[in-house]
Amino acid sequence: VSRISYVNGHYVPHAGAMVHIEDRGYQFADGVYEVIHVCDGQLIDAGPHLERLERSLGEIRIAMPMTRRALGVVLTQVIRRNRLSFGSLYLQVTRGVARRDFPFPAHTAPTLAVTAQRMHPYSAAKVAAGVAVITLPDIRWGRCDIKSIGLLAPVLGKQQARASGAFEAWQLDSAGYVTEGTSTNAWIVDRQGTLVTRPADHRILNGVTRLRLMTLAQDMGLAVLERPFTVAEAQSAAEAFLSSTTTYLLPVTRIDGAPVGSGQAGPVALRLREAYDLFVKNSAARALS
Ligand SMILES: Cc1ncc(COP(=O)(O)O)c(C=O)c1O
């Protein structure tokens, strides 16, 4: 099947899907986005993702381009028209097209674009191998809770990680505490088996996967503590892992070259990954029935 994308009311061949060069997303990164996972053709955790979209838009005073229900219809259509079974939807809302000038334009409708991407599930071997992360100063702005399309710092950070042979870069605030990865939330498991992750303040994006993992962990009887942690603490923790919509949960086995715990994927991370895999499968099955 050829790829179909959605732009402002139209389902169009992906190769010809365009917005104007004076779109404020293009010129000012004046917009926000979401990435929602699709498994077995079904949206996973669409509710919390659309809620977060509405929150991000509210924080930068862009109106929802349509109701949440209508947006759900568009997303379902994009899945169908691409015959997408496993992958993700990217949706972006910008303040729209206007003559270039910094203040909000008076009568401009937001731009809404949706694209679909196929992906391959991570193999059990890949998950079990874990990933390496490096650390970098967090050079982002002060409102990382807004899912802004202004992603230059994460682009540079991820590139540096990949150039160093690492999967992700964990960003550090000025006091040396880990904020989060460039596109993932950061976690450790302390020596008592407690999961530790930074509280969702303005310095991080409150990941939908992060919230889901918290609930699953609590259901499994694991303690979860929201507090900042340092790199040294992470390196001497029992385990570490990262989380996001497209990676689910991946064990972190090295931080700046130093092994975490045993240097192997940890048992808590692997159990939680299993629970999350099951959650995704069950959500898709429930949506299909
Ligand atoms: C900076 C940042 N933190 C965390 C996440 C993980 O969020 P989610 O679990 O909602 O995908 C993302 C996802 O793109 C992100 O960009």
Side-chain angles (χ1 to χ4, degrees), residues 213-237:
L213 288 174
M214 280 184 176
T215 309
L216 292 174
Q218 279 152 1
D219 291 350
M220 291 161 65
L222 298 168
V224 180
L225 192 58
E226 288 180 87
R227 65 159 177 85
F229 58 85
T230 62
V231 182
E233 204 182 342
Q235 283 169 330
S236 60

Side-chain angles (χ1 to χ4, degrees), residues 33 52 140 147 180 182-185 205 207-209 244-245:
Y33 74 107
R52 186 173 65 186
R140 299 174 302 166
K147 203 161 166 60
E180 60 181 336
T182 61
S183 63
T184 56
N185 288 115
L205 183 77
V208 170
T209 318
S244 76
T245 294

Side-chain angles (χ1 to χ4, degrees), residues 111-166:
T111 298
L112 168 63
V114 183
T115 55
Q117 261 192 49
R118 256 163 248 291
M119 23 184 251
H120 293 289
Y122 280 90
S123 67
K126 184 102 199 268
V127 173
V131 296
V133 305
I134 58 165
T135 61
L136 294 174
D138 193 336
I139 58 167
R140 299 174 302 166
W141 72 325
R143 288 302 305 276
C144 297
D145 57 308
I146 299 171
K147 203 161 166 60
S148 159
I149 59 172
L151 293 172
L152 193 46
V155 163
L156 296 176
K158 190 82 86 184
Q159 184 57 31
Q160 194 168 330
R162 296 299 161 85
S164 329

Side-chain angles (χ1 to χ4, degrees), residues 15-280:
M18 312 256 175
V19 293
H20 194 269
I21 54 166
E22 276 196 322
D23 190 278
R24 291 177 62 95
Y26 185 61
Q27 295 195 323
F28 296 114
D30 187 0
V32 298
Y33 74 107
E34 276 298 325
V35 176
I36 309 180
H37 181 39
V38 173
C39 179
D40 297 330
Q42 306 301 312
L43 292 163
I44 305 302
D45 260 339
H49 279 285
L50 294 184
E51 213 165 282
R52 186 173 65 186
L53 175 71
E54 202 162 341
R55 179 185 179 277
S56 292
L57 285 170
E59 292 299 306
I60 64 168
R61 286 178 285 149
I62 294 179
M64 273 283 271
M66 56 181 72
T67 62
R68 240 190 258 184
R69 178 185 284 268
L71 198 47
V73 172
V74 170
L75 298 179
T76 305
Q77 278 296 319
V78 173
I79 293 173
R80 289 227 178 99
R81 289 169 192 244
N82 286 280
R83 294 191 200 154
L84 181 66
S85 173
F86 193 88
S88 61
L89 293 188
Y90 173 84
L91 57 146
Q92 174 171 314
V93 182
T94 73
R95 206 178 303 277
V97 176
R99 179 178 170 274
R100 189 179 184 281
D101 194 11
F102 282 79
F104 297 174
H107 309 289
T108 300
T111 298
L112 168 63
V114 183
T115 55
Q117 261 192 49
R118 256 163 248 291
M119 23 184 251
H120 293 289
Y122 280 90
S123 67
K126 184 102 199 268
V127 173
V131 296
V133 305
I134 58 165
T135 61
L136 294 174
D138 193 336
I139 58 167
R140 299 174 302 166
W141 72 325
R143 288 302 305 276
C144 297
D145 57 308
I146 299 171
K147 203 161 166 60
S148 159
I149 59 172
L151 293 172
L152 193 46
V155 163
L156 296 176
K158 190 82 86 184
Q159 184 57 31
Q160 194 168 330
R162 296 299 161 85
S164 329
F167 179 79
E168 177 62 300
W170 278 6
Q171 303 167 107
L172 308 180
D173 66 21
S174 56
Y177 289 93
V178 175
T179 55
E180 60 181 336
T182 61
S183 63
T184 56
N185 288 115
W187 304 70
I188 57 172
V189 182
D190 74 14
R191 301 267 163 197
Q192 283 69 50
T194 300
L195 304 189
V196 181
T197 195
R198 190 180 179 104
D201 50 20
H202 286 182
R203 303 302 305 268
I204 71 162
L205 183 77
N206 193 359
V208 170
T209 318
R210 172 185 181 278
L211 291 170
R212 182 59 63 190
L213 288 174
M214 280 184 176
T215 309
L216 292 174
Q218 279 152 1
D219 291 350
M220 291 161 65
L222 298 168
V224 180
L225 192 58
E226 288 180 87
R227 65 159 177 85
F229 58 85
T230 62
V231 182
E233 204 182 342
Q235 283 169 330
S236 60
E239 302 181 29
F241 61 92
L242 55 80
S243 68
S244 76
T245 294
T246 53
T247 61
Y248 296 12
L249 174 167
L250 291 175
V252 169
T253 51
R254 298 188 94 76
I255 302 173
D256 287 335
V260 179
S262 64
Q264 310 289 316
V268 175
L270 291 176
R271 268 179 64 212
L272 197 53
R273 164 90 198 193
E274 235 171 79
Y276 192 81
D277 282 337
L278 196 62
F279 157 75
V280 171

